[in-house]
Amino acid sequence: MSVLPLVFTSGWASGINAYAVVLLLGVMGRAGITDEVPLSLQRTDVLLIAAALFLCEAVADKIPYVDSAWDAVHTVIRPVAGAVVAALLAGQSGSLSELAAGAVGGSTALASHLVKAGTRLAVNTSPEPASNIVVSLAEDLGVASIVTFALFHPLPAAIIAAVLLVLGMTVVLLLLSRIRRALRRRRERRERKNRDGTPAPT
């Protein structure tokens, strides 16, 4: 059976929360629930690092504007993680070349990351912080559910991930004007802060 659906789904999930993907796959493989997970993801040091970074993301992801800063830092990290996880899954399966799997996983992770980052910029325009917490919890639960589902039903999970990716892109496009306003306000605040912090010339 081709590993491509699992590669696609893991890439989509990595673009949202790469540490959760590594942690979940590693724990399920370590527990013997599935034999689809390569041993390199089941190592104790990998699981501990993934768990620590997952906790950091769980906190940062729920704080307005901190989440967007965290997303900016992870613009490279999430696609790379998606590519690495995909290549490892392909190497474990042997039904897809690791290079092709890495390309699929990395590009899908980048696409879902951009959707997440754009959605968060729009959410941050809301005056109350509860929306960040709700969206973050929904993302975490969605990643955990779909990755678990993908290990046992890879094709249906990949279809769900593809639909969510398309819906996410559509939502971001619809919210683009709101995102631009948020970015403009942030830039104006930074400029005002820089002006206020600049000492007057003598």
Side-chain angles (χ1 to χ4, degrees), residues 156-201:
I159 293 172
I160 293 172
V163 170
L164 290 174
L165 182 58
V166 171
L167 288 176
M169 289 177 174
T170 303
V171 168
V172 169
L173 288 175
L174 292 174
L175 294 175
L176 198 55
S177 60
R178 187 173 180 178
I179 294 171
R180 285 173 177 165
R181 285 197 301 271
L183 290 173
R184 186 168 58 250
R185 281 199 294 268
R186 287 177 61 188
R187 186 169 58 249
E188 289 170 352
R189 279 199 299 270
R190 272 201 310 270
E191 291 172 353
R192 191 160 51 247
K193 184 178 179 181
N194 290 337
R195 283 199 305 270
D196 294 343
T198 303

Side-chain angles (χ1 to χ4, degrees), residues 7 30 38 57 59 65 69 80 102 114 121 132-133 135 138 151 162 164 172 176 201:
V7 162
R30 190 79 171 262
E57 176 145 336
V59 174
Y65 296 105
V80 169
L114 293 175
L121 284 172
N132 292 77
I133 297 173
V135 171
L151 289 171
L164 290 174
V172 169
L176 198 55

Side-chain angles (χ1 to χ4, degrees), residues 17-53:
N17 193 327
Y19 307 126
V21 173
V22 173
L23 182 60
L24 183 61
L25 289 176
V27 168
M28 294 187 74
R30 190 79 171 262
I33 297 173
T34 176
D35 57 1
E36 295 288 338
V37 181
L39 292 175
S40 53
L41 293 179
Q42 301 178 38
R43 288 169 36 180
T44 301
D45 56 340
V46 171
L47 293 177
L48 289 175
I49 292 170
L53 291 172

Side-chain angles (χ1 to χ4, degrees), residues 32-120:
I33 297 173
T34 176
D35 57 1
E36 295 288 338
V37 181
L39 292 175
S40 53
L41 293 179
Q42 301 178 38
R43 288 169 36 180
T44 301
D45 56 340
V46 171
L47 293 177
L48 289 175
I49 292 170
L53 291 172
F54 171 73
L55 290 175
C56 291
E57 176 145 336
V59 174
D61 218 30
K62 295 172 179 61
I63 304 173
Y65 296 105
V66 173
D67 59 350
S68 291
W70 183 268
D71 285 339
V73 171
H74 284 74
T75 300
V76 174
I77 296 173
R78 287 174 183 152
V80 169
V84 170
V85 169
L88 290 172
L89 290 171
Q92 175 81 355
S93 167
S95 62
L96 180 69
S97 79
E98 295 177 21
L99 184 60
V104 171
S107 58
T108 307
L110 177 60
S112 63
H113 163 76
L114 293 175
V115 168
K116 172 179 178 172
T119 303
R120 286 311 186 87

Side-chain angles (χ1 to χ4, degrees), residues 123-149:
V123 170
N124 283 334
T125 63
S126 175
E128 40 72 37
S131 53
N132 292 77
I133 297 173
V134 171
V135 171
S136 177
L137 289 173
E139 288 171 349
D140 292 343
L141 289 173
V143 165
S145 300
I146 293 179
V147 170
T148 302
F149 186 53

